[in-house]
Each structure stands twice: as C-alpha cells, then as structure tokens.
Amino acid sequence: MSIDKDTARRAAHLARIEVAEDELEKLAGELSGILDFMEQLNEVDVSGVEPMTSVTPMRLKRRKDVVNDGGQQAKILSNAPDAREGFFAVPKVVE
Amino acid sequence: MTDLNNLTISDARDKLRSRDISAVELAEACNKAAAGSDALNAYCLKTPDLALEMAAAADLRIAAGDAPDMCGIPLGIKDLFCTKGVTTQAASKILTGFVPEYESTVTSKLWDAGAVMVGKLNMDEFAMGSSNETSTYGSVVSPWKSNGSNAELTPGGSSGGSAAAVSADLCLAATGTDTGGSIRQPAAFTGIVGLKPTYGRVSRWGVVAFASSLDQAGPMTKTVRDAAIFLQAISGHDAKDSTSADIAVPDFEAALIGDIRGKKIAIPKEYRQDGMPTEIEKLWNDGADMLRDAGAEIVDISLPHTKYALPAYYVLAPAEASSNLARYDGVRYGLRAKLQAGEGINEMYARTRAEGFGPEVRKRLMVGAYVLSAGFYDAYYRRAQRIRTLIKQDFENVFADGVDAILTPATPTAAFGLGEMAQLDPIEMYLNDVFTVTVNLAGLPAISVPAGMTDAGLPLGLQLIGKPWDEGDLLNTAYAMELCAGFVSKAPKWW
C-alpha cells in the first residue's frame, strides 16, 4: 500500500477537505488503489520526451492592456453566502 | 402522426420553415414529455415557461424569414453550463442555489440562433463519473431495460441526463461535455449520437471547469445530421476562452455526402482487449465490414501507448480538477458550512468542502492535490504529461500515414445496472473510459454512433476518431456508418 494514514491526512489537508480521524484508514486504502494503478506509468521510457502543456500548439492571443469590464459589484456578490457592505464576509482571519 | 418531441432537429427545422408546425407547439410537446419523465430523473430543473417564451420569439423569427437552423429547436442543457438567471449546480451540493449572472458561450450561441431551453439536465457531480450515480440530484435512470428484466440501468455518465433525455425524446437534442468520454459513453449506452469536437473548436467559457485541458462541450443528438447542425451552431473562436481556436468553421452539414469511397479507416490492435465481450467484438467487426462495403479501405494500425492513457488521465484530470475546484471555498457562492464557536476560516474551507463535495469528487481532489505536491510532482504529474505527448504522437503518426479515421468500440460493455459499480474497485469504474480517454488526451474529435444491439436488447455504439479540425470528414464517415447500421430502435416507454 503506497499511502499510509499520515499521507492520507496530508492529502486531505492539501485539498482542504475535512476528514474524520477514524476515516483516514479507509481513505488511505482508496487512494493507494488509485495510485497503484498509476504505477504502470513507470514502465514507459520518457527520456527526451517533452511534457505536453498545450493541447493545440498555438500562441496565446494578445489584447490591449486596457480596462474592458468592471462595475459589477452587485452581480459578483449576488451568490455569496455572506456579503456585507459590498464585500464578501468571512470568519475573522487575524487573531 | 408522431409526437413532435420525437422529431430530429433536421426534420423539425424543415417543418418549422414550411410552417407545418410552430415552435410553440414543439416546445409544448417537449414540456409535456419532460413533465412526464420524473421516473428517469433526467431533468434536474424544468423551465417550461421559459421554453414557451423562447419558442414564441422563435416563431416570430421564422415568420420573418430570419431563422437559423437551430431556431425553435427545444434543447436540454447539461447542468454544467452556466445559464443566466437559471440555477446551475454542476449536480453538486456545494453549488446549492447558484444562479449565474452570465450565460456560457455555448448556450449564448444556441439562444442567439433561436434555440429553446426545456430545462437543465442531470449529470455526475462536476462531470466526474461514468454512471450518473454521483449526482446530488440522485441517479439518472436509463429509458432502456434488458429484455425480460425490470432492473434499472445506468444511462452512462457524466452526461447521463443528456443521454436519457435525448433517447427518451424529452427534448430534440442536448448539450454534453466530454473530459474522458462523458459524451460518447452515455450516447453509446442509450442509442444516440454523441460528438466530442476537437479541443478548442467550442468555447469552454461559462462551462463549469473539471479538467481544462481535456474538457470539451459537444452535441448529443438523435442522428449524425443533427450533430452536424448542432456543432455548427456552437463552434468558433471566443475571445473569452484563450484555448478556443481562431480557425474557420466549415459547413458541417454540407460535408454529409455519404460517400466514403477510398477513405482509409484504421483498426487499432491495442483496443482489442483480453476478455472483450463477444458482442462488442462482433459489433466492431460488423462496423469494419459496413465501412468496407461502403468503399472504405480498412487497415490495421498500432497505437502503442494506448494502455497508459487511462493511468495518465487519472493523474492529469484530478490534478487539473484540484486546481479548478479550489474556488469552491464557501466564500463567493454556494454552500458554507456552519461553524462552532472558536472555529475560523480554515475550518470553514475544509468543512464546506467536506460537506459540499460528494465522495467521488473528494477522492479525486485529494488524488489531484497529492500528485501535484512537492516531491511527487515529477513522478506523477510531469511523467503523465510526457506520456500524454507520446499518446498524441501515436495518433499523429497514423494520420501522417494517410489514415482518415479510426474505428473502435465506444464502450467495453453495454449499459450496466445502477448500483453495480459500487460493488467494484474504483479502477473497474474508470475502465469504462478505456476506449474514449485517449481522444481527450490527444485533443482529437470523435463521435459515438449507435450501431447494434446486445442479445439482451441494449444499444451498443461504435466510435470513430478523426483528425484535428476535420469534424466535417469525421461526420461524413459517421453518416455513412449510420446509413449502413440502420439503427432505429427506441426504448419502449415505461416511465
């Protein structure tokens, strides 16, 4: 098994997903199954092969560096679980 | 006379233009069919009033002689597409109550062309799944059943609501999205046509992102001609999606001449797997015979890196998803978890995501975060990207040798029962994508065409893979195969 309980806890933390302590063992098993499946990628000789970073080789389009949108505060906040005085509201961050 | 909701896009277009029917009548028929379809759970939201309003506007355009092909055509829209003022949740609890303030480019183009929205369609949560069982709205039930069995079957996924709705005539056609096979597999399971366009042909703007380098929207229709008409309406460069290609869009319907004499159609040996059901093998051989009889040359090819496509995909797609879905943090939209006294913003993020995402999404996001993490990035993510290059080169090599299209089965089996996959290893579920996922990694266009039935009476589909940007030629080959296969079966109505 490639993933132990501590590694599963770390993966959950990196993904910012709360996982109860007593569920970590099962999660480790599931993640291991998937990662073991990926191990076969190690059979391939990839030396000298460029990683694919663009599906279609093309240069990104450029545009003028000007303001072309904005003034939509109400729309941007319209779906917020908690919006106050024109801002997204969140629990206190600074102690 | 057949019910109007049973029409194809092309037939409806002709009847609308000749004023045999009105768009309002057509919308009413689809509204009625949708209203009576709750047992299928294909629609997660019905918009009958909006449909009638849009249909009335379409009738005015048709009367004025200003009617594009899609004008007055009632469509279902996968819940992944943002629709302005209409709830869009990607079938996830985490987007509960999300009402977009904007319209996706695909749906904008459809509405600009006069198409009519019947409702939003159920899907796997964030398009992650192959059986439409991960949805917060519950599973979609296929209109199809095995002979002599009453067991509920999957319509496939992730575009399972789209597939069920088109197959059961709850709309004339539907939008789908395809990241690893999510248009083609459900199309094959339900006896309809599903087209994944070349990556970049259709704008991804306003489509809830899963894996941005693999996602592509496309049509799910009753016929190949309808797929051509639908694709025409949604294609083209969009300044709001920097990966959408600024390439001219040809007339796809005009490409449907049905003549494929001299075309070179390839059979990749790596797709012939041990333990392949004889029904699938027979379907595949029959498909090759049909194309040969139509004048094509059938050649054997090798795509040597095929077996690595699935593991590479299950590195790359979760990695991209973990990045894309980082935005669901309980701040800007959707769900926010309740906190206890003394808890702060970190607990808010982690609990919101634990409560808002379903188990499959959570698992993939953790896999994605892991393969991107320090110390593992090169071993997993970077390596998978390199293998992706090799998979794309496999295809480039055969196309450079003069191959026009590649023929494969669309799925390794016919539709399976709802709940059956839960008994299996998650990898078994992922194997559903084995014939489709290579295409997403290589950015190619591919189409699933209904081509046969199992002994148990379930539809099977064949997949044709085409050259980049040559959907016209691909559609023409699919059209020739559709004519030969003569698939006309519909699921008997039980819902």
Side-chain angles (χ1 to χ4, degrees), chain B residues 61-346:
Chain B
R61 280 178 80 172
I62 294 164
D66 158 40
D69 287 335
M70 294 295 284
C71 193
I73 303 297
L75 303 176
I77 302 297
K78 188 177 183 180
D79 199 33
L80 207 61
F81 292 80
C82 287
T83 40
K84 188 175 180 180
V86 178
T87 311
T88 301
Q89 274 186 234
S92 181
K93 187 179 165 193
I94 209 160
L95 273 171
T96 299
F98 179 63
V99 181
E101 293 282 352
Y102 49 87
E103 190 76 38
S104 80
T105 297
V106 164
T107 46
S108 283
K109 281 173 171 276
L110 291 168
W111 311 149
D112 287 351
V116 168
M117 177 157 73
V118 184
K120 300 298 285 283
L121 292 167
N122 201 345
M123 52 180 279
D124 277 302
E125 183 180 6
F126 283 106
M128 298 183 196
S130 306
S131 62
N132 217 124
E133 291 172 287
T134 70
S135 167
T136 192
Y137 311 120
S139 304
V140 177
V141 181
S142 175
W144 292 87
K145 296 203 184 230
S146 292
N147 291 337
S149 165
N150 205 30
E152 290 183 337
L153 300 179
T154 178
S158 70
S159 309
S162 303
V166 174
S167 176
D169 295 314
L170 312 179
C171 50
L172 270 55
T175 59
T177 62
D178 192 315
T179 304
S182 282
I183 286 177
R184 291 160 287 155
Q185 182 252 22
F189 277 5
T190 56
I192 66 166
V193 174
L195 172 66
K196 185 202 97 71
T198 312
Y199 183 82
R201 177 64 91 187
V202 176
S203 170
R204 291 180 297 104
W205 194 82
V207 184
V208 176
F210 163 12
S212 305
S213 80
L214 301 159
D215 296 343
Q216 188 66 187
M220 300 180 72
T221 58
K222 298 175 191 177
T223 66
V224 172
R225 181 173 300 280
D226 284 5
I229 296 168
F230 197 133
L231 179 64
Q232 195 80 42
I234 60 173
S235 293
H237 178 250
D238 176 11
K240 289 188 282 194
D241 173 5
S242 61
T243 63
S244 85
D246 200 354
I247 290 179
V249 180
D251 184 336
F252 295 121
E253 193 181 5
L256 306 181
I257 52 172
D259 183 356
I260 55 164
R261 281 175 296 176
K263 294 280 180 195
K264 204 187 253 192
I265 312 291
I267 309 286
K269 68 174 184 193
E270 288 79 6
Y271 285 58
R272 201 170 294 280
Q273 299 185 323
D274 293 341
M276 179 182 262
T278 50
E279 289 177 320
I280 300 288
E281 189 150 13
K282 179 174 182 308
L283 173 85
W284 196 8
N285 292 335
D286 289 350
D289 288 344
M290 287 178 215
L291 295 171
R292 191 183 289 111
D293 290 347
E297 180 192 352
I298 306 295
V299 296
D300 291 318
I301 55 158
S302 172
L303 298 166
H305 297 92
T306 298
K307 86 173 258 215
Y308 302 108
L310 211 49
Y313 175 84
Y314 276 97
V315 173
L316 297 171
E320 293 189 30
S322 80
S323 172
N324 272 326
L325 274 62
R327 72 191 68 179
Y328 305 105
D329 57 3
V331 175
R332 283 159 294 170
Y333 22 62
L335 185 83
R336 177 182 291 185
K338 297 259 184 299
L339 298 180
Q340 308 296 319
E343 291 182 326
I345 196 162
N346 289 319

Side-chain angles (χ1 to χ4, degrees), chain A residues 7 15-16 18 30 35 38-41 43-44 49-50 52 55 58 61 78-81 88-89 91, chain B residues 98-99 101 213 243 246 307-308 314 330-333 336 350-351 353-354 380 383 385-386 389 392 441:
Chain A
T7 315
R16 296 295 185 278
E18 196 171 72
E30 287 177 355
L35 290 165
M38 295 169 181
E39 289 303 318
Q40 52 183 309
L41 295 178
E43 296 166 12
V44 185
V49 179
E50 281 297 310
M52 184 163 154
V55 191
M58 59 181 186
K61 288 233 172 206
S78 67
N79 277 290
F88 294 110
Chain B
F98 179 63
V99 181
E101 293 282 352
S213 80
T243 63
D246 200 354
K307 86 173 258 215
Y308 302 108
Y314 276 97
V331 175
R332 283 159 294 170
Y333 22 62
R336 177 182 291 185
R351 194 162 313 145
R353 291 163 65 80
Y380 288 106
R383 174 168 280 270
Q385 278 186 311
R386 290 197 158 95
T389 299
K392 187 164 187 248
L441 291 169

Side-chain angles (χ1 to χ4, degrees), chain B residues 33 54 381 417 457 469 494:
Chain B
M54 294 171 97
Y381 184 70
W469 313 113
W494 54 265

